[in-house]
Amino acid sequence: MAALGAWGSAAVPGRLSRVARTLWGWHVRRGLGQDAGAENGGRAAKPAFADEAVQNLLYKMTGLNLQKVFRPVKMELKPPKYKLMTEAQLEEATRKAIEQAKEKLIMPPVLDEREPIDDVLAEDKFLEGMEATKYVFTDLTYSVPHRERFIVVREPSGVLRKATWEERDRMIQIFFPKEGRRVIPPVIFKDEHLVTVFQQDRHEDILNMCIAQFEPDSPDYIRVHHRTYDDIEKHAKYDLLRSTRHFGGMVWYLVNRKKTDGLLIDMIHRDLLDDATSLITLYHMIHPECQSAKETKEQKLQGVDLIKVFVKTESQREGYIQLALQAYEEATATSTAS
């Protein structure tokens, strides 16, 4: 065991979703919009973010743009390397690049916010006033998972309690440093600084930093992700996260909150009609009670017809989306005629 005083002193698709669970090291729990059937009046359980069908739809909508996935990053300047390849070697290199891109697009988990820790183990009054600072005792056994690591705090009042989540995160980072994570979170994650980040279109950067700094079920992790998604939805900057590992989480967030109109318009404008139908299919999976889902099931609707029924019954911007659909159909008819 080790002690610290006063804080500062030291002493996708099915296969991809399984890979994601391994890489992230989390037992996936039900999160936003994932109520169990028993809690839902006996109705069928809503799908979870990690369900294979959901992951397939989200991965399909994310897209696979190799130029964006492997775009240059700021680093030490080195001379470029050129290789002469046969056609077969080029095909093999392209295949490997696609496999690497798929791994880079594995989506982070979406979890419920963790329950606060407020467990008092003992109240030893005879220790009251003996020390002016708190002492933190941390189990440093390497084989113990961090979630199961025993960490307790002795208060100056003599109270012995379990460490809070924030205290646990801090101690674990001190003794088991994780690359890209700081003991004290950077101020850039505060709401007043996020505004500046969003103005610079650095939404992906802040989400990458957030993943490195916080645990997926921490309040700050969830808050930063939600603020980022809301800003993208507000300014219709969906393409900033397309072909990144964050796009699926954004879609999941918007669909659960029934805020899909802007994304649907964006997909139609970009001629991504398959993505638009995938978006509506996911909407129906999460909100099976909606009128659009019922009509789609009864009439077995697909493609443009599916979108039209959804817009008519669920959209808050029906007229605007109808115009976008009309423009798409006219453009399709023109290109077919020519």
Side-chain angles (χ1 to χ4, degrees):
M1 303 284 284
L4 287 183
W7 308 134
S9 51
V12 209
R15 184 180 70 81
L16 282 179
S17 63
R18 290 191 294 272
V19 172
R21 295 188 188 101
T22 303
L23 290 177
W24 286 100
W26 284 86
H27 298 292
V28 179
R29 301 177 296 170
R30 289 189 173 272
L32 177 63
Q34 301 172 39
D35 303 321
E39 300 174 355
N40 223 353
R43 290 177 290 177
K46 291 184 178 180
F49 178 79
D51 288 352
E52 185 171 344
V54 172
Q55 289 286 305
N56 286 339
L57 288 171
L58 293 176
Y59 180 77
K60 180 180 178 183
M61 285 184 276
T62 295
L64 183 61
N65 184 337
L66 294 181
Q67 281 71 31
K68 187 169 185 177
V69 175
F70 294 111
R71 66 189 180 279
V73 295
K74 291 183 179 180
M75 56 188 301
E76 181 183 354
L77 187 61
K78 295 180 180 180
K81 295 181 179 180
Y82 300 94
K83 293 183 179 181
L84 294 175
M85 294 184 176
T86 64
E87 195 69 31
Q89 289 174 329
L90 180 59
E91 290 179 0
E92 177 64 15
T94 303
R95 184 190 66 78
K96 289 183 179 179
I98 292 174
E99 288 300 317
Q100 293 175 8
K102 288 180 179 179
E103 291 186 6
K104 286 179 175 290
L105 293 179
I106 292 176
M107 290 170 270
V110 174
L111 304 175
D112 286 329
E113 184 176 328
R114 55 198 183 191
E115 294 293 331
I117 298 176
D118 187 22
D119 296 339
V120 175
L121 303 177
E123 295 186 22
D124 301 313
K125 295 296 183 182
F126 64 93
L127 294 176
E128 185 175 359
M130 295 184 65
E131 294 289 344
T133 61
K134 301 177 183 178
Y135 280 84
V136 182
F137 299 88
T138 304
D139 180 3
L140 299 183
T141 307
Y142 277 91
S143 60
V144 177
H146 291 330
R147 281 277 162 155
E148 300 173 12
R149 194 170 298 282
F150 192 66
I151 304 177
V152 296
V153 178
R154 174 69 76 176
E155 297 278 358
S157 63
V159 171
L160 182 67
R161 60 174 175 79
K162 290 184 179 180
T164 64
W165 285 113
E166 291 74 18
E167 293 165 345
R168 290 181 61 87
D169 290 343
R170 194 178 304 173
M171 294 302 104
I172 289 172
Q173 180 61 17
I174 289 174
F175 291 114
F176 305 93
K178 181 178 178 181
E179 185 178 357
R181 179 173 295 186
R182 300 183 185 179
V183 175
I184 305 297
V187 296
I188 194 173
F189 293 113
K190 294 184 178 295
D191 286 342
E192 57 267 28
H193 298 299
L194 287 177
V195 176
T196 303
V197 173
F198 297 154
Q199 290 173 348
Q200 299 171 356
D201 288 346
R202 295 180 57 200
H203 300 71
E204 182 184 1
D205 293 338
I206 196 66
L207 291 180
N208 286 333
M209 293 174 61
C210 181
I211 289 174
Q213 180 64 43
F214 303 112
E215 294 299 313
D217 60 351
S218 74
D220 285 323
Y221 179 100
I222 295 172
R223 174 183 58 81
V224 171
H225 275 73
H226 289 183
R227 295 285 190 280
T228 305
Y229 299 153
D230 286 336
D231 185 80
I232 286 178
E233 195 273 337
K234 179 180 179 180
H235 298 98
K237 295 181 178 180
Y238 307 101
D239 204 50
L240 290 176
L241 295 187
R242 191 170 273 112
S243 282
T244 73
R245 57 178 173 168
H246 309 292
F247 192 80
M250 178 191 69
V251 173
W252 179 258
Y253 173 81
L254 295 177
V255 170
N256 272 279
R257 282 164 171 72
K258 297 185 177 182
K259 298 169 66 174
T260 56
D261 284 355
L263 181 56
L264 184 59
I265 293 170
D266 180 81
M267 289 174 170
I268 295 173
H269 282 166
R270 296 178 186 275
D271 293 341
L272 300 173
L273 209 68
D274 287 343
D275 289 354
T277 56
S278 295
L279 176 66
I280 295 173
T281 300
L282 179 62
Y283 188 101
H284 290 168
M285 291 171 62
I286 298 175
H287 306 289
E289 74 288 346
C290 71
Q291 184 63 30
S292 174
K294 296 175 182 178
E295 292 189 23
T296 299
K297 185 176 181 180
E298 293 172 358
Q299 303 177 35
K300 298 181 180 179
L301 301 173
Q302 295 179 347
V304 176
D305 293 332
L306 170 64
I307 299 175
K308 287 181 178 179
V309 169
F310 175 82
V311 170
K312 183 178 180 180
T313 58
E314 306 298 328
S315 175
Q316 302 297 317
R317 302 168 65 181
E318 179 182 353
Y320 197 92
I321 301 179
Q322 290 286 9
L323 288 175
L325 268 178
Q326 183 179 344
Y328 170 83
E329 291 178 320
E330 290 175 355
T332 303
T334 302
S335 60
T336 303
S338 58

